Amino acid sequence: MILILDFGSQYSQLIARKIRSLRVYAEILPFYAPLNVILKKAPGGVILSGGPASALQTKAPTVSKKLFDLDIPILGICYGMQLMAYLLDGKITRGNTREYGRSEIRIQSDSALFKGIPDGNTVWMSHGDSVGKVPSGFRILAGSHDCPVTAMGHKTKPLFGVQFHPEVHHTQNGLRILKNFAQNICREKRTWRMSAFVDKTIADLREQIKGRKVLCGISGGVDSTVLALLLYKAIGKRLKCVFIDNGVLRKNEANTILARFKRIGIPARFIDASRRFLEKLEGVRDPEKKRRIIGKEFVDVFLDQLGEKDFLAQGTLYPDVIESVSVKGPSATIKTHHNRVKEILKLEKQGRLIEPLKELFKDEVRELGRELGLPEDVLKRQPFPGPGLAVRILGTITPERLRTLKEADAILIEEMKNAGFYHKIWQSFCILLPVQSVGVMGDERTYENVLAIRAVQSVDGMTADWVPLPARLLSRLSNRIINEVKGINRVAYDISSKPPSTIEWE
Ligand code: XMP
């Protein structure tokens, strides 16, 4: 296995995921894990993750220097590389500004780490400090225009450092670099399988739940469907699935989802709570407030179904956790996820919260679902946020605006499916803006709503690129939406990527 020591980077889990995608088991420990705990795991290699600290600051997060003398291959990424350089008496240059974004590397020495990586390879950087001078015994493996030591390696020991992030999608051949490390340098065998995860999780769930019951909310999304199926396989009829209509679902969604569960063979209870959600949302503009209201109402309706001794299961994925709580301080809160409201945290403290997907990314969940035998149309369903259309109606939510967005979105989904794009991309959806603009219809001047269309490609939702949909499709979408949906007289197309934008507009 490969052990990742986490220094608070929001990409640590992504490193683990990428290594697991190579069929090599990877696990994360906090950077302060004692050396004997690390050794007990008998790792074939160790990765020191990135992190927001500076190796030069007092009380910088660190590891025991002895780690570098054990002959275990080590790869430092970003902060991990700086820390390695600092501890082995190299020089760190303090950065006044952060270098952020794409950069091209110039390979300077042959190394096992960069085997098969072409000169000029694009990499993704996000750092302030950098290595000014490599420690003795090391050489520079690659440099770039703004960062002379972009990668370093020891001349005789299996110690490596890269300033960039090989784990993120924007680094070309990033997986190849991790593969070189895991397979060629650490000599790990490709033996890990998703079926191993299924067996272990089902056994763990049975052990944890014993004879008790589990309440599981389903949304129709991939995550909650996979979760329900996993639980159903583990505990059968002791699973209580509930589907709540929160009033901000897409057109016909409730029926479609209930029919699907019936088909899969898992009993599910339907609760129409739309009125109570919409009453609470009346007049609310602030997206964070909308999220909090929906989260709270959901929990209230949902917890009503929770027996005194029941467990609560949630399909929380890793990105939900990383984007809503700060990991040891450094990763800032980006937005509130309903998976982490007060009541849920209380259940977590009582040991009654079950989140078996917490370490996985979306594509891993899809693979898991496939392993469990879910049909492709369920697995390839685009992600839909918990707070639903509430975060896609900017400004206040009224029944009229909800109807407008539902109609427009239904047209978009239909056209995307017809054009063969729906299953090919990460997400495509409409956003109703709190903006009106002038138009003409017939001889009349209109003053109506602007609707935005967003289509993005992404591997895990952490980063995303906007999709250049064909002009003919865009034109058809715009024509149909403006002609068929009352209240919209202008359609705009969103051409922003994440970062710096996010996928949802909120
Ligand atoms: P952002 O807007 O942060 O979204 O770039 C990243 C991905 O997460 C989805 N999303 C959510 N999913 N509950 C969810 O289950 C939520 O509260 C939530 N908010 C955003 C979003 O649709 C995108 O795929």
Side-chain angles (χ1 to χ4, degrees), residues 119-314:
D119 202 30
N121 197 74
T122 300
V123 298
W124 181 260
M125 299 274 215
S126 171
H127 66 119
D129 295 351
S130 48
V131 174
K133 190 167 153 272
V134 299
S136 75
F138 278 75
R139 60 195 170 141
I140 298 177
L141 299 183
S144 71
H145 186 264
D146 294 314
C147 180
V149 189
T150 303
M152 63 178 195
H154 195 280
K155 288 177 194 155
T156 52
K157 299 178 187 173
L159 303 177
F160 299 88
V162 289
Q163 185 52 70
F164 57 89
H165 288 275
E167 70 277 21
V168 308
H169 180 57
H170 294 301
T171 292
Q172 264 175 5
N173 297 305
L175 192 62
R176 174 76 202 249
I177 295 171
L178 293 175
K179 187 175 172 192
N180 284 343
F181 180 69
Q183 281 173 232
N184 301 346
I185 296 167
C186 304
R187 309 221 161 270
E188 286 297 297
K189 294 215 173 66
R190 299 169 54 120
T191 50
W192 190 77
R193 292 273 179 280
M194 190 50 94
S195 55
F197 180 88
V198 172
D199 294 346
K200 184 173 181 308
T201 309
I202 288 183
D204 287 352
L205 285 170
R206 283 184 184 146
E207 169 67 27
Q208 185 185 2
I209 298 162
K210 301 239 162 63
R212 285 154 71 180
K213 288 187 176 151
V214 177
L215 180 67
C216 174
I218 51 171
S219 68
V222 179
D223 314 340
S224 63
T225 311
V226 168
L227 174 71
L229 192 51
L230 199 57
L231 282 162
Y232 195 66
K233 293 210 176 207
I235 61 165
K237 292 232 161 66
R238 277 183 289 123
L239 174 67
K240 303 194 285 185
C241 280
V242 174
F243 177 57
I244 296 169
D245 186 343
N246 60 9
V248 281
L249 302 176
R250 285 167 292 190
K251 196 177 168 184
N252 291 333
E253 193 153 29
N255 289 338
T256 315
I257 289 161
L258 288 169
R260 179 176 305 144
F261 265 75
K262 215 170 184 175
R263 222 172 38 237
I264 301 172
I266 302 178
R269 178 152 182 234
F270 177 62
I271 301 174
D272 182 358
S274 49
R275 186 184 283 176
R276 108 178 233 190
F277 277 82
L278 293 176
E279 272 169 11
K280 286 272 165 29
L281 284 168
E282 211 179 300
V284 179
R285 284 173 197 278
D286 177 33
E288 276 294 290
K289 204 165 168 201
K290 287 180 188 169
R291 281 180 174 275
R292 282 197 297 273
I293 290 171
I294 293 171
K296 172 152 189 348
E297 284 307 300
F298 182 84
V299 165
D300 285 354
V301 177
F302 190 46
L303 290 193
D304 225 30
Q305 306 293 313
L306 187 75
E308 219 175 282
K309 290 195 174 147
D310 293 355
F311 285 96
L312 181 73
Q314 285 202 132

Side-chain angles (χ1 to χ4, degrees), residues 223 291 315 319-320 323 334-339 362 383-388 391-392 426-427 429 454 456 460-462 464 498 501-506:
D223 314 340
R291 281 180 174 275
D320 302 337
E323 289 197 356
I334 298 169
K335 67 185 166 223
T336 308
H337 269 267
H338 64 292
N339 312 51
K362 197 85 179 188
F384 186 61
V391 290
R392 294 181 180 171
W426 175 262
Q427 261 173 323
F429 54 90
R454 181 136 174 81
V456 291
D460 46 40
M462 303 277 274
K498 171 183 181 176
S501 301
T502 51
I503 295 177
E504 302 291 343
W505 281 42
E506 312 263 334

